[in-house]
Amino acid sequence: MESISSETSKRTGLKHEEILEKLHLEARNDPNTLGFLVIGSVATKTHNEKSDVDVITILRNQKPSSGIDKTTIDGILVDKLFFTYEVFAESVDTVPYLLHTLVDSKVLFDRENTIEPSIDKIKGYFARHSKLVAEWGRYFNESKEIKLKTGCRASNNGKTIIDVWNELEKRYSGGRIKRPFFNSFYLTNSTLFSLIKRFF
């Protein structure tokens, strides 16, 4: 039984790694791409066969300047976030408290050696703010429990990542939203977002 589980685990890891390698190659071959990162369970090697592949692409130029593209590759959900370098760098400088996801990220591609220093800056920020790390830890634990029970983080009043961003922005930015990414009205307005958050 143990050998079967081990073999299944190897196949699962390979499937996710193959998808990641394909996305990585696409990023390297695009001259507009400055950086490519993997985040989440695939970055920490804690994923299973149902895990998403979550990646971030840092671009020179793009309109809109930030966004997310959800797709499925070989039966695996892939969340591809993108930011322009300008948005990425501004976020690191102005709203580092929102970027906890980057602490365990893996930089797979850094064309001009500009991404790694920003990631190091974020890691240093959270190393100095243990209360904030604990707060993010509570969110992730609650989120995992809700998803295990319901299949959706937004069910049963579960918080999505955007709920957490909005809460932290209000607390750390004097009550206003100043993040340069994903800051459109329907995401930052709690009433409107409550109606659509089941899709996130």
Side-chain angles (χ1 to χ4, degrees):
M1 190 69 161
E2 187 176 338
S3 61
I4 293 173
S5 297
S6 176
E7 187 59 35
T8 301
S9 177
K10 286 178 184 176
R11 286 199 305 269
T12 298
L14 183 59
K15 192 173 187 181
H16 284 73
E17 289 297 326
E18 286 174 348
I19 292 170
L20 186 59
E21 185 56 36
K22 178 182 177 183
L23 296 171
H24 181 192
L25 185 61
E26 288 174 359
R28 278 187 172 276
N29 289 336
D30 180 0
N32 192 41
T33 300
L34 292 175
F36 181 75
L37 303 81
V38 58
I39 59 175
S41 61
V42 176
T44 57
K45 305 290 187 185
T46 57
H47 58 285
N48 58 47
E49 69 276 4
K50 295 181 180 178
S51 296
D52 302 348
V53 175
D54 301 297
V55 297
I56 298 176
T57 305
I58 311 298
L59 303 167
R60 294 183 194 276
N61 301 294
Q62 175 71 28
K63 289 186 179 181
S65 58
S66 65
I68 183 169
D69 177 28
K70 288 180 177 285
T71 188
T72 301
I73 301 175
D74 198 16
I76 301 293
L77 182 64
V78 178
D79 288 332
K80 298 191 285 187
L81 287 78
F82 66 85
F83 308 97
T84 61
Y85 180 75
E86 182 180 358
V87 166
F88 175 68
E90 183 183 348
S91 300
V92 170
D93 288 338
T94 61
V95 291
Y97 44 86
L98 301 183
L99 304 180
H100 183 268
T101 303
L102 297 180
V103 171
D104 291 323
S105 66
K106 302 295 180 191
V107 179
L108 302 182
F109 175 56
D110 187 357
R111 190 180 299 276
E112 297 178 356
N113 299 315
T114 54
I115 310 303
E116 283 275 14
S118 293
I119 299 298
D120 289 342
K121 192 172 180 180
I122 289 298
K123 290 179 178 179
Y125 175 86
F126 280 98
R128 297 188 303 274
H129 294 83
S130 57
K131 288 183 179 179
L132 194 54
V133 172
E135 190 168 353
W136 274 102
R138 283 193 299 274
Y139 157 67
F140 285 125
N141 288 334
E142 290 171 6
S143 180
K144 285 176 186 175
E145 288 176 11
I146 289 168
K147 191 173 183 182
L148 282 173
K149 291 177 183 176
T150 68
C152 177
R153 288 187 179 92
S155 300
N156 294 348
N157 298 317
K159 293 179 183 178
T160 67
I161 190 73
I162 295 171
D163 289 316
V164 178
W165 287 340
N166 290 344
E167 287 179 15
L168 291 173
E169 281 274 60
K170 289 172 186 174
R171 208 168 333 137
Y172 288 90
S173 299
R176 62 192 180 91
I177 303 296
K178 67 178 186 180
R179 65 180 181 262
F181 59 89
F182 300 164
N183 59 357
S184 57
F185 179 70
Y186 72 91
L187 291 181
T188 57
N189 181 285
S190 57
T191 303
L192 284 176
F193 184 56
S194 67
L195 298 175
I196 62 167
K197 73 178 187 177
R198 65 182 180 278
F199 297 111
F200 287 87

